[in-house]
Amino acid sequence: MASLLAGQAMAQAPKVVTDTRFARGATMAFGRIKSTSLNGGAGIAKRGFCLSENPEPTVEDTVSTKQLSNSGVIYYFENLKPGTLYYMRAYATNKDDVTGYGDVIKFCTLPKGAVTYSYNNGGSADQNKRINDALTQACDIFCNLTSIKKHFDVSYGSGTPTADCNYTDTPHMNVGPNASYQRTGTIMHEMQHGLGVIPYSTEWNGNILRSGDGTGNWLGDRVSAFLDFWDNTTGSYLHGDTQHMWPYGVNGAQEDNGTLLLYYANAMIGQALGEDGLQHTYSTYADPYYSFDQEDSVKYYIKNESTDRGLYTSYLKPTATGVLKWVAMSTDEAAANDSVAWYITFTPNNQYYQFRNAATGQYLTFSGSIKTAEKSKPAATENWHLMKGRVDVDGQRGYWIIHPESNWTPKCLQANANGNTASGSLNKANSAEAQRWLILTMDEAKASEEKAVAQMKKTVEAAMNQIMSLANVPHTEDAEGVDAALQAVVSDINGRLDTSTSVTALQAMVDEAKTAATTFLNSVTPSDVTQPFDLTYMLVNPTLDENADGWTGGGTVNYGCMEFYEKTFDCNQTVKDLPAGTYAFCVRGFQRPGGSTTAYNDYKKGTNKVNATIYAGSNSQKLAHICDTLLSRKLNKGNEAAVTSGKYVPNDMQAANAYFQKGLYENRVFGTVANAGGSLKVGVKSSAMPSAYWVIFDNFRLYFYGSKSIDDVVTSVTDIDLQHPTAGNVFYDLQGRRVNTPVKGLYIMNGKKVVVR
């Protein structure tokens, strides 16, 4: 007996790793096991998931070994309680009957959906049975896997080739006589139209949650997270056109394979679209869900996401009258001040959060404005929808704190200038930083501050390097002592940098550096016009590496380029706080006026139909023509078009990027700023983009020539170095013929004789 007990004591549990990704509906939940391995003992006898409403589920609680197969095994639970907080984890039991567990996943099931239908039974008996069966199963799946509430009015349409559905609060669906479209999957596809996947003014065809011009990848995290889990992959995007989505869109009878795997995915994508911000009805802006993982007894601290609204320096705090302010204080001060601490609770049956101030006990409430108020217990006015942001802020995600309303632009908490807040209309754009709030524990706040200090030191160092780069440009002083004053500022800041531990102090150093640079530039002039001051750092997103941020009227961005096709545009930004003087604004880019062959034939005949311009202030120049550069050998990057025998031009974004990387298609325009601290609007635009007209560009740059006038700069250019970035001009030989690649010699450039060396 003693020997048997000793053997049992030595038996070791299997090692189990729960995949942290999961999916849930109203009555179902899904998980994956990342790995199981023996840790002594006999082989694995059983594996699956256990679930409980308690934080430590075991195999003595609810267990499931039910599986779906999709790039591995998906385990799932059925018949769960809607609107309920659950905990689940993977387990494995070996043949010695010893069980090991993975990490616990905390999640909340959704309130049960109410997707219903009425059907006029206008077809034959067989047709009506198929349609009713499909509608019943589709509604059942939507009800169990989503919180969506919608009634569909369905008719049999003898003249309907397949099936169709409109988008209203009570959408109408027509199902035709084609039996292939009287199935569950195709019915669910039509229901998705009624839920907002349709050419309409919903976010499905908007440029906030879709890439490109509003019909590219869906950018919401919830959908991507679901696809990553469901397909056991990473980096997923939902794709689509104006009225279809894939994968799992069931875009035609040929895609309806009749599997629950497909139907479940379609429904859960519909839910995730709503959680990301797709409007399922005219009266809803998004679907609430358990977005922020909170604990009732933990104190949280709220900071606005915008650096201009106290991201690194301030916390949300109510005044004595309940008015909300963002107030500057350090983390140590915040930790000792409960007036900036909040308790956050969650109500599973409606998926809303409540905020209670730790010092006053008052709840965050909405009564025409957002403030705190004394409440015996929270009611509807104290419910808040937390919609998660889509961009990281120092490794954290912010949230829109939204008052639930039956419209597309409900009120949300917004940080205004000078420590004030307001109830602003919801703006789902990434740029709406002032409407998003980081919700942190004190440990997270301290870690964030430490990270911010380290990052701010790098920012100060970058500012110092930028100043030294400017100081090293050959120049003359327009006012005596300018160089010495700049060096004094640099020395002073460097002397304080290592010992500074305050974000506020470091930000002040950055501001000092900017002021010193501006003061310096206002009183110097470059000695050599071929070596101007490079102020490209003052442009926002000059390289277009990932997106159009910083550029008003931006287009499709890919391969580090921005393009517009058959679409008029004005892509610009206004650069502020500039020194007075002359500037050159440069970009690599071209316009193709029509198809490649047409554009070449016109160009060959001397007809240049380019209408796009690069501009700086009131000055503009035509953008390069695509045929200004003709290569006799392909770069073999992307698609290149042969416009004539042995001559090639770019024909897609990847190819254009390759040409730009070689320094081709350079454009430049001069502009002036009259007064110190002024601004200059720069950009590229076209007011006419007929059929097949294509504009693409990248690599913006801004150069400063000090007190030299534009005429002085152009006239004094007598020696051009082709390797210099400002030398990409249009050259003509002395007979007036355009030269795409000038060699050493004398040319006409901008109406002046120049020497290329």
Side-chain angles (χ1 to χ4, degrees), residues 9 81 132 319 390 461:
K81 294 188 293 185
N132 275 298
T319 66
R390 299 181 300 277
E461 290 169 355

Tab-separated table of all heavy atoms in Angstrom, residues 9 81 132 319 390 461:
chain	number	residue	atom	x	y	z
A	9	ALA	N	2.353	9.581	-5.845
A	9	ALA	CA	2.929	10.879	-5.492
A	9	ALA	C	3.984	11.299	-6.499
A	9	ALA	O	4.171	12.481	-6.773
A	9	ALA	CB	3.533	10.816	-4.088
A	81	LYS	N	-24.265	30.127	-20.706
A	81	LYS	CA	-25.212	31.184	-20.354
A	81	LYS	C	-24.801	32.488	-21.043
A	81	LYS	O	-23.650	32.903	-20.938
A	81	LYS	CB	-25.245	31.374	-18.836
A	81	LYS	CG	-25.808	30.191	-18.069
A	81	LYS	CD	-25.994	30.499	-16.593
A	81	LYS	CE	-24.680	30.714	-15.894
A	81	LYS	NZ	-24.845	30.892	-14.423
A	132	ASN	N	-37.060	28.052	-45.590
A	132	ASN	CA	-37.343	28.136	-44.153
A	132	ASN	C	-36.267	27.438	-43.337
A	132	ASN	O	-35.837	27.946	-42.287
A	132	ASN	CB	-38.715	27.534	-43.843
A	132	ASN	CG	-39.842	28.535	-44.041
A	132	ASN	OD1	-39.894	29.564	-43.367
A	132	ASN	ND2	-40.740	28.244	-44.979
A	319	THR	N	-13.281	67.578	-10.332
A	319	THR	CA	-13.213	68.689	-9.392
A	319	THR	C	-14.269	68.478	-8.304
A	319	THR	O	-15.026	67.502	-8.321
A	319	THR	CB	-13.473	70.020	-10.103
A	319	THR	OG1	-14.836	70.024	-10.572
A	319	THR	CG2	-12.523	70.207	-11.274
A	390	ARG	N	-7.086	51.339	-32.202
A	390	ARG	CA	-6.406	50.448	-33.149
A	390	ARG	C	-4.910	50.733	-33.255
A	390	ARG	O	-4.232	50.120	-34.081
A	390	ARG	CB	-7.054	50.594	-34.538
A	390	ARG	CG	-8.515	50.210	-34.566
A	390	ARG	CD	-9.108	50.358	-35.963
A	390	ARG	NE	-9.023	51.724	-36.461
A	390	ARG	CZ	-9.891	52.675	-36.177
A	390	ARG	NH1	-10.925	52.413	-35.367
A	390	ARG	NH2	-9.751	53.884	-36.680
A	461	GLU	N	17.959	63.556	-27.608
A	461	GLU	CA	19.207	63.267	-28.316
A	461	GLU	C	19.040	63.467	-29.817
A	461	GLU	O	19.941	63.999	-30.489
A	461	GLU	CB	19.648	61.834	-28.010
A	461	GLU	CG	20.122	61.640	-26.576
A	461	GLU	CD	20.290	60.174	-26.210
A	461	GLU	OE1	19.945	59.314	-27.059
A	461	GLU	OE2	20.754	59.882	-25.094
